[in-house]
Amino acid sequence: MDEKDFYIEAFDNLPALVDNSETMKETFSHVFYDFLQLQHLYDSAIEVVKTYLNILDNEFSVKFQRNPIHNIESRLKSPQSIIGKLQKKGLPISTEAARKNLLDLAGIRVTCYYISDIYAIVEMLGRRDDFTIIKRKDYIKKPKPSGYRSYHMIINVPVYLSTHKEYAPVEIQIRTIAMDFWASLEHQLKYKTSSDIPPEIAEELRSCAERIAETDLQMQRIYMQINNID
Ligand code: GTP
Ligand code: MG
């Protein structure tokens, strides 16, 4: 999104903030500037992590003639959804409140080939002494009740700006292609149905997740057998 589009999008979604046109200009100009700065900082934090992940992936390919990463996606939460989430949490609508309370403004999803690749990447992210892990959740060892599997981390990432260094949290979801297959379809199914998913269908989805997880383990074993790894 370029700067102009960002302004337009922010403008479209901010009228709730202002109650009269007198204050409008003043409020907006400072909100816009804050939003742009926030967007730049979090975008840069995403770039820092993505660059590191690409370096790791290339190093693997030099050393082992294989890439552990299948795909990297990233997204920045939109101004509408930042405002929506702050409102839902009963917090003030400000970039300050967003930075303090929302840890998933910057998101990266890493899709790996094998389960062991996930843990290798988790370990390598943890090895960087300039990255601070704020939170981690292993939904592979302990899947969500829905059947959802992935490794989640929130990392505080340093961004070197022209005059100083700032930190921004980045949410990283690491999963296999198989886990991503299930999560993408389940997400779409949940979105398509406006009402809650009936329990028998939820159970069926959970059982799909289990079967997919078994296949994931089987593929991992085949990989290890072929490569003589124990
Ligand atoms: P808490 O916020 O501390 O509860 O944990 P968390 O941030 O690790 O998990 P949360 O439930 O907030 O989910 C974060 C993201 O994980 C979501 O935005 C989804 O992308 C993904 N996710 C979590 N649960 C599910 C699920 O049941 N199905 C799918 N498809 N995705 C999920
Ligand atoms: Mg969360």
Side-chain angles (χ1 to χ4, degrees):
M1 203 194 311
D2 66 27
E3 200 168 296
K4 192 176 116 263
D5 284 344
F6 178 81
Y7 266 75
I8 290 168
E9 195 171 344
F11 194 90
D12 279 343
N13 294 284
L14 287 171
L17 277 179
V18 235
D19 30 34
N20 70 69
S21 54
E22 260 306 288
T23 57
M24 205 155 180
K25 260 195 195 138
E26 213 179 303
T27 311
F28 278 147
S29 65
H30 125 263
V31 167
F32 285 155
Y33 184 66
D34 274 7
F35 257 121
L36 280 178
Q37 263 195 326
L38 183 87
Q39 191 193 33
H40 174 255
L41 176 68
Y42 282 70
D43 240 346
S44 307
I46 286 178
E47 286 310 314
V48 170
V49 177
K50 278 209 310 210
T51 300
Y52 182 50
L53 288 168
N54 282 319
I55 291 172
L56 293 177
D57 196 46
N58 292 334
E59 187 191 347
F60 249 73
S61 124
V62 169
K63 277 190 179 156
F64 311 113
Q65 289 76 52
R66 185 179 82 76
N67 294 92
I69 297 175
H70 173 254
N71 184 39
I72 302 175
E73 289 169 275
S74 60
R75 67 105 182 92
L76 211 59
K77 224 186 220 330
S78 67
Q80 307 100 293
S81 101
I82 293 174
I83 292 166
K85 202 156 175 183
L86 287 172
Q87 271 172 339
K88 221 170 98 189
K89 289 189 166 206
L91 293 161
I93 313 286
S94 69
T95 48
E96 215 185 312
R99 286 189 65 171
K100 226 193 253 163
N101 300 287
L102 309 181
L103 297 177
D104 62 345
L105 300 184
I108 298 184
R109 184 172 291 155
V110 186
T111 313
C112 298
Y113 287 88
Y114 297 101
I115 303 162
S116 57
D117 294 332
I118 299 175
Y119 290 101
I121 286 173
V122 168
E123 205 190 308
M124 291 182 274
L125 285 168
R127 229 176 258 155
R128 268 196 63 154
D129 47 25
D130 55 344
F131 286 4
T132 313
I133 298 162
I134 303 175
K135 196 170 137 186
R136 63 166 97 218
K137 280 198 178 158
D138 188 345
Y139 294 124
I140 299 163
K141 291 219 166 75
K142 207 172 175 299
K144 286 213 164 189
S146 62
Y148 176 77
R149 285 160 170 85
S150 269
Y151 197 104
H152 288 193
M153 292 173 108
I154 293 169
I155 300 184
N156 224 9
V157 175
V159 176
Y160 288 84
L161 301 167
S162 57
T163 56
H164 63 291
K165 175 174 71 177
E166 264 188 68
Y167 284 86
V170 177
E171 185 187 82
I172 309 173
Q173 301 179 348
I174 314 168
R175 47 172 78 153
T176 59
I177 301 171
M179 294 169 193
D180 189 55
F181 159 66
W182 182 91
S184 301
L185 267 56
E186 189 256 7
H187 179 76
Q188 202 184 53
L189 288 167
K190 268 191 185 162
Y191 261 72
K192 283 263 150 80
T193 34
S194 44
S195 52
D196 276 349
I197 286 201
E200 64 277 13
I201 291 182
E203 185 46 48
E204 214 174 327
L205 282 167
R206 200 164 27 242
S207 115
C208 285
E210 243 124 73
R211 261 180 295 153
I212 290 165
E214 273 168 36
T215 309
D216 234 354
L217 284 171
Q218 199 173 3
M219 295 301 282
Q220 173 90 63
R221 283 194 294 269
I222 294 169
Y223 165 74
M224 290 170 86
Q225 246 173 353
I226 286 183
N227 290 282
N228 297 312
I229 306 167
D230 23 59

